[in-house]
Amino acid sequence: MSDLLSLTRTERSAEDVVRSAGEILARYDHLTQDSGNISWLVRTEGADLFVKTAGTQAPPPAGAAAPYLDHAGRVQLLRSAVELARSVEHPALARLRSVLEAADGPVLIYERAPGELIGVPAAQRGDPTSPYRRFAAADAELRLTVFDQLLASHVALESAGWVACDLYDGCLMVDLSTGRLTLIDLDTYRRGTSTNDMGRVFGATRFMAPEEFELGAPLDARTTVFTLGRLLRHFGTGLTEELEHFCGGAAAAEVVDRATRPARAERFGTVGELAAAWRANRRSV
């Protein structure tokens, strides 16, 4: 069995363990992300695994975008990701196989998610061959199937007390042949209602609620509702943002409109309420 799954603690670095475990299919570092994390896709004897770490304590390489957090902060978020994974079971959530404590911090070992990452760099969003564009132009029923899973998984997360933070298209792995969704990188989700202590919290501006830019504002279920609604609107309209183009029909478009209202009191109060309204109004194609 691969060391990645058999070990719980090692004095070696995460990269040493990963490289000795199998074939490195991909490495994600400062060249592909600005978080400071380092991750790998590795083929082991038993399975393909996605391995995520907080990276190193060394300063970012020259030319790299400055990470949001230092190494200690990134470690804290990875431990939160472990808590989330162990508190909620849902088929749309990436499956955490094990956690290894390495010399340079925790190593989170997930099953490889099927499909393609929908979020792409801004420069690639106009490319019709990108997963971003292909999902936005996909058959209506496939998109609605993905939306069903997105909402159902967040009902489960809400039941365990989690509030979305930094949920965007870069969290969506979608198998565009089947419509299967896997959610990844939920490290910054918060447990329970909290107060915006950053001013601008983590996230992609395209999907963030107004309170995520306001120091001292509440972050709660209505915040999650807004972001979910924005994802549905963005991709459900084929990127036009015009609700008359929404793939789920006029009644479902009204649900999305209510979810994304700037005034918090005008939105659904919980993800459960949003999901129930969605199920009642979403058309079958």
Side-chain angles (χ1 to χ4, degrees), residues 258-277:
R258 179 179 171 188
T260 55
R261 290 176 184 169
R264 289 169 42 82
E266 295 181 8
R267 303 174 206 156
F268 296 97
T270 67
V271 177
E273 291 176 11
L274 167 61

Side-chain angles (χ1 to χ4, degrees), residues 70-122:
D70 61 14
H71 183 266
R74 299 194 300 271
V75 166
Q76 184 177 356
L77 290 185
L78 289 186
R79 298 204 186 283
S80 179
V82 173
E83 182 185 357
L84 183 149
R86 290 175 173 171
S87 68
V88 183
E89 288 190 14
H90 191 277
L93 298 180
R95 184 185 174 201
L96 181 66
R97 293 286 299 275
S98 63
V99 179
L100 166 65
E101 295 293 337
D104 45 3
V107 180
L108 279 56
I109 304 163
Y110 293 90
E111 288 186 357
R112 180 180 184 176
E116 301 173 80
L117 187 63
I118 298 304
V120 299

Side-chain angles (χ1 to χ4, degrees), residues 151 251-252 255-256 258 268 271-282:
L151 294 175
V255 172
V256 171
R258 179 179 171 188
F268 296 97
V271 177
E273 291 176 11
L274 167 61
W278 171 258
R279 290 192 300 269
N281 291 281
R282 167 216 195 277

Side-chain angles (χ1 to χ4, degrees), residues 90 92 143-157 167-168 171-172 181 183 189 227-232 235 271:
H90 191 277
R143 283 180 284 165
L144 293 174
T145 296
V146 172
F147 299 159
D148 290 343
Q149 296 166 79
L150 179 63
L151 294 175
S153 60
H154 279 83
V155 170
L157 287 161
L167 171 62
Y168 71 119
C171 299
L172 311 182
L181 169 69
L183 290 168
Y189 275 41
T227 298
L228 291 169
R230 283 291 306 130
L231 284 164
L232 268 60
F235 290 104
V271 177

Side-chain angles (χ1 to χ4, degrees), residues 23-256:
E23 177 188 359
I24 304 299
L25 302 178
R27 186 178 188 273
Y28 308 98
D29 55 17
H30 68 282
L31 298 176
T32 57
Q33 55 187 355
D34 59 9
S35 65
N37 293 330
I38 299 177
S39 302
W40 297 265
L41 187 61
V42 56
R43 175 158 292 161
T44 70
E45 184 177 342
D48 287 356
L49 302 170
F50 179 77
V51 182
K52 185 169 186 177
T53 75
T56 70
Q57 298 186 45
Y68 279 116
L69 295 172
D70 61 14
H71 183 266
R74 299 194 300 271
V75 166
Q76 184 177 356
L77 290 185
L78 289 186
R79 298 204 186 283
S80 179
V82 173
E83 182 185 357
L84 183 149
R86 290 175 173 171
S87 68
V88 183
E89 288 190 14
H90 191 277
L93 298 180
R95 184 185 174 201
L96 181 66
R97 293 286 299 275
S98 63
V99 179
L100 166 65
E101 295 293 337
D104 45 3
V107 180
L108 279 56
I109 304 163
Y110 293 90
E111 288 186 357
R112 180 180 184 176
E116 301 173 80
L117 187 63
I118 298 304
V120 299
Q124 297 177 21
R125 291 183 199 142
D127 181 356
T129 68
S130 69
Y132 174 80
R133 285 278 172 176
R134 286 160 47 224
F135 177 54
D139 176 83
E141 187 57 35
L142 185 143
R143 283 180 284 165
L144 293 174
T145 296
V146 172
F147 299 159
D148 290 343
Q149 296 166 79
L150 179 63
L151 294 175
S153 60
H154 279 83
V155 170
L157 287 161
E158 179 177 71
S159 295
W162 293 98
V163 172
C165 182
D166 199 12
L167 171 62
Y168 71 119
D169 49 11
C171 299
L172 311 182
M173 290 285 294
V174 177
D175 185 332
L176 291 170
S177 66
T178 65
R180 177 179 171 182
L181 169 69
T182 305
L183 290 168
I184 64 170
D185 290 343
L186 307 186
D187 309 7
T188 53
Y189 275 41
R190 299 187 177 203
R191 197 75 180 266
T193 299
S194 63
T195 299
N196 182 340
D197 53 2
M198 297 174 64
R200 187 203 188 280
V201 301
F202 302 117
T205 302
R206 295 168 293 149
F207 305 107
M208 293 168 66
E211 59 266 28
E212 294 183 278
F213 298 89
E214 182 184 348
L215 187 66
L219 303 175
D220 57 16
R222 293 179 191 270
T223 309
T224 305
V225 163
F226 185 96
T227 298
L228 291 169
R230 283 291 306 130
L231 284 164
L232 268 60
R233 181 168 186 156
H234 190 65
F235 290 104
T237 62
L239 311 181
T240 70
E241 306 290 352
E242 301 295 335
L243 285 174
E244 59 264 32
H245 300 150
F246 189 69
C247 65
E254 292 180 7
V255 172
V256 171

